[in-house]
Amino acid sequence: MQVYRGMDIGTAKPSGADRARIPHHLVDVAEPEEAFTVAEFQRAGRAALDAVDARGVPAIVTGGSGLHFRALVDPLDFPPGDVELRAALERLPAGEARRRLVAADPHAGDHVDLANPRRVVRALEIVELTERTPTARATGAEAAAVRAYRPRRPLRAIGLDPGDALPARADARIETMHDEGLLAEVRGLAPRLGRTARQAVNYKELLPVIAGEATLADGKADQLRATLALAKRQRTFFRRDPRVGWLPWDDDPARRLAAARAALQEAPTWTS
């Protein structure tokens, strides 16, 4: 969500001083009205990584979204979409999209939840745009590399365990954001938030407050619940990745940094 201009406090965006000292990429590259899909993030992020490679310096990918991380380092494929085609497919009589998909790919049910109309429509959209069936996509070399966690570029990965004090730290962070003017930031951005940006944690929970439909206390409580739920999803996602070496939490930032440096030096390099 740091790609969006103006969404600064609620995303804990790096400060101007930090960005002047260390080059940051994919910060402030989109307006909050834009969707900025993971496919767009992938294209822009890979271009940034290629530029860093050309300078002969290491790049650090950091953040919380597991999907966006894997989109950068792994051969994930994001097929194109067509708004008009998808709308036409969504208007088909009940069961017709599923019938067409199974006709094109008798084994589609092994890879797509045929009881989920949205996933069926998306799979059929991909078939019609690329002629690649769910089975073809799932059994290709790139899909096999993704399942095996084989990156498209050399990679070392470490993770910092959030520790048992996460709820208290998250609560304190939310209060700090409000002290820095988060509510005013959300109020100013509210008319401009597109479908993607308005789902951001710390923004979605405060929109009802801005609209007068909830109290600030309710909004803060929702922020904390959403933050902890997001952290749990992130933890689950990254724990499945065998490439990540985990470090225990340490309250001292200097010790955390020293441990991270040492772990990165010792971590194995994963390649394709």
Side-chain angles (χ1 to χ4, degrees), residues 159-164 169 235 239 245-250 256:
L160 188 63
D161 191 286
D164 295 334
R169 293 204 313 275
R235 195 180 204 176
R239 284 286 183 185
W246 288 93
L247 305 178
W249 178 259
D250 191 309
R256 289 202 304 270

Side-chain angles (χ1 to χ4, degrees), residues 32-158:
E33 295 90 344
E34 298 177 45
F36 206 82
T37 65
V38 67
E40 291 172 295
F41 183 92
Q42 182 187 65
R43 286 192 293 271
R46 287 183 176 180
L49 288 174
D50 289 343
V52 172
D53 284 347
R55 297 202 304 269
V57 296
I60 298 175
V61 178
T62 181
S65 169
L67 177 61
H68 288 74
F69 168 74
R70 296 207 68 188
L72 290 182
V73 304
D74 292 328
L76 279 178
D77 174 41
F78 296 99
D82 185 286
V83 174
E84 293 184 1
L85 173 59
R86 187 177 305 183
L89 294 173
E90 289 172 343
R91 290 194 296 268
L92 291 173
E96 177 62 15
R98 183 170 60 249
R99 187 195 66 76
R100 290 192 188 184
L101 180 62
V102 173
D105 181 1
H107 300 288
D110 294 338
H111 313 288
V112 178
D113 181 2
L114 297 181
N116 186 322
R118 183 175 62 84
R119 294 187 182 277
V120 170
V121 164
R122 175 58 178 150
L124 187 57
E125 177 188 17
I126 294 170
V127 170
E128 299 206 8
L129 289 174
T130 68
E131 297 185 351
R132 295 190 67 200
T133 65
T135 298
R137 295 181 61 225
T139 57
E142 288 185 346
V146 170
R147 288 193 296 270
Y149 290 93
R150 294 197 301 270
R152 60 186 295 275
R153 62 173 64 236
L155 167 73
R156 294 182 182 182
I158 60 171

Side-chain angles (χ1 to χ4, degrees), residues 160-242:
L160 188 63
D161 191 286
D164 295 334
L166 178 62
R169 293 204 313 275
D171 193 32
R173 179 171 177 262
I174 288 169
E175 289 300 329
T176 299
M177 287 180 172
H178 280 276
D179 290 343
E180 293 174 350
L182 176 60
L183 195 62
E185 179 173 280
V186 177
R187 181 178 289 109
L189 288 169
R192 301 183 54 207
L193 296 177
R195 184 172 64 178
T196 302
R198 71 189 300 110
Q199 297 303 313
V201 173
N202 296 317
Y203 294 84
K204 180 180 180 180
E205 297 76 27
L206 293 180
L207 290 174
V209 178
I210 299 300
E213 300 167 355
T215 67
L216 180 56
D218 290 337
K220 289 182 177 180
D222 288 342
Q223 281 181 263
L224 182 58
R225 280 192 289 270
T227 298
L228 296 179
L230 175 60
K232 182 178 180 180
R233 292 195 300 272
Q234 291 168 337
R235 195 180 204 176
T236 300
F237 188 100
F238 283 108
R239 284 286 183 185
R240 291 196 296 261
D241 194 326

